[in-house]
């Protein structure tokens, strides 16, 4: 740093000589170049420098201040001068020798005084010395070979540390790498270090290049120059419910003194340490949480650890309550399972995996591998490792119409269990009854049997007056069930699926059903016919049919698959044959007769087929011509017939209306006459009733007025009497209340005065008692002797006083008992020379201290 000019530097011109004169203050300098000799020298103040013509000031027009280093600072000089034993060296030309290309550090301790820069020197920077705090270190590196102040030989590239607290003075041979702060190793943590090259660690252990180790000690740790921080390592907190599984990456001895081989895995629990920090040769595999088994839980442990190695392929049963950690290599087969709690209607189907001896009620029961048996409830069961639980079975409650299909796995036979609660045995199984999707849907929709469980018994409700056929493929027999009935389908039985023609006109395969209606019922069909005159007609016929069932041969009903389609075809062919032989007009007039004749013939009214189907009636629902002309002519004929019929009906209706009108007119006239007669009678009766009413009204009004006046007088009199009575009662009550009030008032005043008197008496008694007690206590306090002395003290004192006064007698009196002094003087002065002494008057207790009267003679 440079100080400011304390004395201003001035450059003046000598006009005559053209010379520059510069005043240099103390601690100022300039560099002057002699152009003749090409030499540069330094001029230091204080002085007046006069520049010659052959000189040049190369530092500028102003002088340069000396460099002043404050305490704990340093200056970096480039191309410093050569000094030997502190002396600046000059060459033969008196030019300062400069160490070109080098640098020099000058500290405030080496240069406490200001100093100038000699020609060739240049100031690079002025900076503060580097303080090294406590517990910190300054990392240095040598840029050339040298010997430090402590005599240590340093080679170029060497690195070392200087520990604080210390103020570092820099050297040209040393480069500052970094200021290292200590690494804080927290509790339950560590730091991982790596050696750059072969060295010794802080504990004096030899480390190879690239070797890693861990510092576990809590506190501060300062990295050495040959150590690299690989980062912190967090410790794993181990609890009663948590452990860690580790694996060794190479053979070593862990912190617990146990030798671990490369690839070995082990478990670290809380019993070893509460916090574990993984070593450099330890790799965390996973965190292992404790396996807790409740009292109703169990598990199978595969590949158990025996303390040395895993028993591969072995399985062990663990039952609760229990808690343990899974060792490396151990696995839970199926996880934690709940014990099988069996009710009285439940059981377990068990199978022996290997030979197994079971103890039941202190008896040994042997099971060979492959055996199957049931463990029935109620109980709690934990299967051992030799036993496999195939399934849990529950007794099936079934109503009278419910059942299941059961197969015996030993014989293969299938039977139906129905109408009771049944538990499937060990050698049995439920077998599903498989049916086609169509039959399954028909059983559900037509028979009302929903089977989410296919092993459920198939039942079918056969409707009333219908029949259903079931075929047994095992016995090759069939049976027909006539409704209403409930069909139980055996395992080897199948329903006969019937496809019938449907819709109008009939189409085959429209109706799919498991039962056949026995009738009577009708089926409609459209039959196209052609008359002999080639009129094509479309007839809609309804055939009424029923089945005549033979009780001994019911299967005949199902001999014809589509009996409706066959019946309609046969009936249609007969109708077409007979219509083809007659003309249109004839057939149109007698169509019903021709159709019945074609179907039933002339002698019978029914027709029966081989399967028992009987057609007993036919109905023509509509006839429509197919040909347009025929249709038009038929429409005209129908219109004419309708018009004729309409006219006939109109005439008949008109005749009936006229007859009805005449009859009604006569009835009306007769009713008018009857009504007039009734009116006259009613008028007569009305007048009679009116006269009677007026008489009654007059009489009633007079009677009512008289009664009203009498009642009014009676009410007024009663009111006066009642009023007087009430007033008397009121006065009586009032007087009684006043008497009661006065009596009560007198009684209260008497009670009050009596209470006051009692209080006053009690107060007087209490005061008297208090005064008596007070006087008694005063007397007791004063004492008998004291009273005597008090009584004697007065007379004695008076006697002495009289003696001293020369008196022969005296009298004392109190203010309460005055004495007549005019007469008392004679008593006080007796005859001369007598020795009589007057007796003192009697003293009362109250005048003891107030009145004393007697004569005393000396």
């Amino acid at each position: 740093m440079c100080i400011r000019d304390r004395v201003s530097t001035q450059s003046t011109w000598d006009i005559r000589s053209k010379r520059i004169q510069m005043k240099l203050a103390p601690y100022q300098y300039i560099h002057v170049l002699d152009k003749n000799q090409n030499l540069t020298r330094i001029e230091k103040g204080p002085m007046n420098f006069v520049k010659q013509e052959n000189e040049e000031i190369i530092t500028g027009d102003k002088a340069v201040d000396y460099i002043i280093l404050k305490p704990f600072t340093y200056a970096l000089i480039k191309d410093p001068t050569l000094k030997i034993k502190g002396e600046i060296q000059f060459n033969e030309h008196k030019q300062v020798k400069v160490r070109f290309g080098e640098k020099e550090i000058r500290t405030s301790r080496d240069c406490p005084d200001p100093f100038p820069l000699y020609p060739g020197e240049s100031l690079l920077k002025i900076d503060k010395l580097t303080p090294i705090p406590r517990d910190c270190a300054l990392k240095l590196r040598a840029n050339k070979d040298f010997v430090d102040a402590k005599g240590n030989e340093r080679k170029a590239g060497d690195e070392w540390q200087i520990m604080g607290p210390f103020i570092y003075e820099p050297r040209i041979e040393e480069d500052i790498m970094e200021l290292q702060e200590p690494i804080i190793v927290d509790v339950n943590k560590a730091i991982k270090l790596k050696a750059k090259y072969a060295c010794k660690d802080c504990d004096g252990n030899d480390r190879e290049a690239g070797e890693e180790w861990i510092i576990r000690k809590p506190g501060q740790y300062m990295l050495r120059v040959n150590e690299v921080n690989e980062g912190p390592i967090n410790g794993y907190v181990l609890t009663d419910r948590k452990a860690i599984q580790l694996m060794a990456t190479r053979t070593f001895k862990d912190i617990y003194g146990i030798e671990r081989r490369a690839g070995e895995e082990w478990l670290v629990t809380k019993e070893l340490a509460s916090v574990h920090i993984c070593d450099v040769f330890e790799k965390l595999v996973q965190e292992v949480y404790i396996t807790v088994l409740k009292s109703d839980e169990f598990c199978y442990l595969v590949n158990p650890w025996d303390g040395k190695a895993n028993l591969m392929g072995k399985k062990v049963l663990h039952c609760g309550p229990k808690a343990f950690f899974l060792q490396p290599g151990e696995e839970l087969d199926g996880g934690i399972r709940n014990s099988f709690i069996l009710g009285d209607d439940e059981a377990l189907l068990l199978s022996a995996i290997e030979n197994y001896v079971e103890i039941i009620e202190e008896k040994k029961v042997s099971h060979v591998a492959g055996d199957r048996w049931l463990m029935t409830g109620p109980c709690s069961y934990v299967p051992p490792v030799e036993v496999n639980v195939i399934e849990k079975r529950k007794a099936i409650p079934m109503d009278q119409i419910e059942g299941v299909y059961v197969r015996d796995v030993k014989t293969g036979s299938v039977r139906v269990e129905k109408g009771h609660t049944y538990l499937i045995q060990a050698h049995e199984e439920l077998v599903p009854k498989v049916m086609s999707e169509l039959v399954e849907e028909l059983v559900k929709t037509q028979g009302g049997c929903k089977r989410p469980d296919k092993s459920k018994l198939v039942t079918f409700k056969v409707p009333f007056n219908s029949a259903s056929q079931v075929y047994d493929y095992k016995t090759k027999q069939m049976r027909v069930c006539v409704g209403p009935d409930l069909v139980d389908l055996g395992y080897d039985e199948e329903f006969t699926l019937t496809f019938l023609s449907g819709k109008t006109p009939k189409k085959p395969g429209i109706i799919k059903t498991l039962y056949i209606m026995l009738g009577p019922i009708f089926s409609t069909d459209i039959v196209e016919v052609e008359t002999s005159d080639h009129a094509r007609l479309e007839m809609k016929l309804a055939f009424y049919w029923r089945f005549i069932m033979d009780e001994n041969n019911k299967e005949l009903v199902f001999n014809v698959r589509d009996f409706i389609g066959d019946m309609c075809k046969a009936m249609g062919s007969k109708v077409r044959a007979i219509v083809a032989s007659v003309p249109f007009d004839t057939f149109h007039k007698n169509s019903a007769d021709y159709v019945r004749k074609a179907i039933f013939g002339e002698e019978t009214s029914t027709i029966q087929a081989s399967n028992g189907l009987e057609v007993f009636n036919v109905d023509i629902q509509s006839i429509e011509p197919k040909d347009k002309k025929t249709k038009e002519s038929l429409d005209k004929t129908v219109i004419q017939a309708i018009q004729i019929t309409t006219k006939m009906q109109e005439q008949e209706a008109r005749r009936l209306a006229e007859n009805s009108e005449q009859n009604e007119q006569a009835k009306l006239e007769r009713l008018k006459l009857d009504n007039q007669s009734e009116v006259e009678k009613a008028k007569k009766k009305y007048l009679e009733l009116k006269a009677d009413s007026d008489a009654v009204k007059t009489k009633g009004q007079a009677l009512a007025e008289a009664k009203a006046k009498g009642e009014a007088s009676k009410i007024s009199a009663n009111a006066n009497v009642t009023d007087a009575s009430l007033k008397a009662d009121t006065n009586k009550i009032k007087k009684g209340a006043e008497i009661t009030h006065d009596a009560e008032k007198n009684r209260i005043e008497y009670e009050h005065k009596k209470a006051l008197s009692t209080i006053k008496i009690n107060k007087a008694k209490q005061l008297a008692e208090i005064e008596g007690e007070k006087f008694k206590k005063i007397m007791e306090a004063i004492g008998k002797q004291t009273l005597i002395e008090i009584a004697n003290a007065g007379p004695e004192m008076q006697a002495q006083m009289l003696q001293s006064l020369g008196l022969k007698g005296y009298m004392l009196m109190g203010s309460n008992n005055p004495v007549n002094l005019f007469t008392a003087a004679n008593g006080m002065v007796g005859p001369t020379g007598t020795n009589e002494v007057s007796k003192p008057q009697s003293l009362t207790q109250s005048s003891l201290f107030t009145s004393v009267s007697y004569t005393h003679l000396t």
Side-chain angles (χ1 to χ4, degrees), residues 287-314:
E287 293 182 354
V288 180
Y289 291 90
I290 193 169
T291 301
V292 180
L293 298 178
K294 299 179 182 178
S295 57
D296 59 343
E297 293 178 340
F298 69 95
C299 68
Y300 295 114
L301 193 63
V302 182
N303 305 328
W305 175 264
D306 64 350
K308 296 181 180 180
N310 293 96
L311 303 178
M312 305 304 293
K314 189 175 181 180

Side-chain angles (χ1 to χ4, degrees), residues 725-735:
S725 177
L726 290 175
K727 286 181 179 180
D729 292 340
T730 302
N731 292 329
K732 183 178 179 181
I733 292 169
K734 185 176 181 181
K735 294 298 181 179

Side-chain angles (χ1 to χ4, degrees), residues 480-497:
V480 177
C481 301
V482 179
D485 193 7
L486 181 67
V487 179
D488 295 336
L489 191 65
Y491 184 75
D492 298 314
E493 291 180 335
E494 291 291 342
F495 287 107
T496 299
L497 180 59

